[in-house]
Amino acid sequence: MTQNPFDLIIFDCDGVLVDSELLASDILSEELARYGLDITPRECRERFTGSSLKRVKEIVFQSKGIELPDNFEELLRIRDRRVFEERLRPVSGIEETLDMLHLPLCVASSGSVEKITHSLKLTGMYSRLAPHLFSAEMVSRGKPAPDLFLYAAEKMGVSPNRCLVIEDSPVGIKAAKKAGMTAFGFAGASHAGPGYAEMLDLTGADITFREMFALPNLIQFYQK
């Protein structure tokens, strides 16, 4: 049996643990339209997936010259919460996969701690992963900067080169690689259409996969 090269698995939340990206992009597109921004849900996914709301506001200002209000994040989170309570589901196969993993686990997400907690409780995974939940709120720079992943590794007491990150977004893959970690790109959530895995490959993912059930074997036999 190949010796395990990892001491910690770091999961992104949206699009990896919970199948939320289609829901979130629909809501974001509708909210941006209130401020005269015609950005479709697909464009929201392409431009903002994996980014914090702080970074979304920065991108909108830089590209469109529109400064979103101070309470934009709060209003968007309220809408997210309502829709998630009705429609959020776990990523297919994730619960069984978590049960098969015998390494320390944590979550590092661009979402707020409140959002991460709410999403995991709605989908029944909170007890599996709490209290090791890390948010971009905890660092000065969100993804694609490496800060969040390095912070998570430090708090978990694991060297970055012994960490495996599971990500679904290009900005997340970039952040993991900048942190000196191995990055597996997951392309199996509902927002990941044709060409999505190839995009993650081009971004620098060490491996891409489409079925969450494959993860334990990919880890077991992975060689750096």
Side-chain angles (χ1 to χ4, degrees):
M1 181 178 295
T2 304
Q3 184 178 2
N4 198 314
F6 307 113
D7 296 325
L8 174 67
I9 304 175
I10 304 175
F11 284 94
D12 180 36
C13 186
D14 296 294
V16 174
L17 296 172
V18 298
D19 201 354
S20 57
E21 295 293 3
L22 286 181
L23 301 178
S25 61
D26 285 347
I27 297 166
L28 179 57
S29 176
E30 292 172 5
E31 289 301 306
L32 291 174
R34 297 177 186 269
Y35 303 97
L37 290 160
D38 184 16
I39 304 177
T40 67
R42 179 175 180 176
E43 289 171 329
C44 285
R45 291 191 295 275
E46 292 173 349
R47 298 175 64 180
F48 305 131
T49 294
S51 298
S52 66
L53 290 180
K54 177 182 177 182
R55 179 166 171 76
V56 170
K57 290 176 69 175
E58 291 172 352
I59 294 172
V60 167
F61 181 72
Q62 292 167 1
S63 62
K64 302 293 186 179
I66 294 177
E67 188 167 359
L68 296 171
D70 292 339
N71 66 344
F72 178 77
E73 297 177 44
E74 179 184 356
L75 295 174
L76 189 67
R77 285 170 180 165
I78 290 171
R79 283 212 60 201
D80 279 345
R81 187 181 183 93
R82 290 172 180 167
V83 173
F84 283 14
E85 287 175 352
E86 296 176 359
R87 299 169 59 189
L88 186 66
R89 298 292 182 270
V91 161
S92 178
I94 186 61
E95 296 161 294
E96 297 86 349
T97 298
L98 291 176
D99 289 340
M100 295 170 65
L101 298 175
H102 304 294
L103 288 169
L105 310 174
C106 72
V107 179
S109 169
S110 294
S112 66
V113 174
E114 187 277 335
K115 181 183 178 184
I116 299 167
T117 299
H118 188 235
S119 293
L120 294 179
K121 284 184 175 180
L122 285 175
T123 53
M125 288 182 282
Y126 181 77
S127 62
R128 286 182 167 98
L129 296 159
H132 306 303
L133 310 178
F134 304 104
S135 163
E137 295 177 326
M138 300 173 177
V139 295
S140 59
R141 301 182 302 168
K143 306 170 189 177
D147 302 31
L148 177 56
F149 290 134
L150 292 173
Y151 179 81
E154 178 185 0
K155 291 299 183 182
M156 297 295 290
V158 177
S159 173
N161 68 352
R162 298 287 299 175
C163 295
L164 169 64
V165 174
I166 312 300
E167 264 286 357
D168 73 306
S169 70
V171 296
I173 296 294
K174 290 176 182 177
K177 298 305 293 182
K178 288 178 183 177
M181 301 177 179
T182 301
F184 285 8
F186 177 63
S190 59
H191 69 286
Y196 201 89
E198 291 75 12
M199 177 182 66
L200 297 179
D201 278 329
L202 291 172
T203 304
D206 295 285
I207 283 178
T208 57
F209 66 108
R210 293 179 174 85
E211 298 292 338
M212 193 57 73
F213 287 118
L215 182 58
N217 280 337
L218 291 175
I219 294 172
Q220 181 179 353
F221 296 107
Y222 181 73
Q223 293 184 346
K224 293 187 179 182

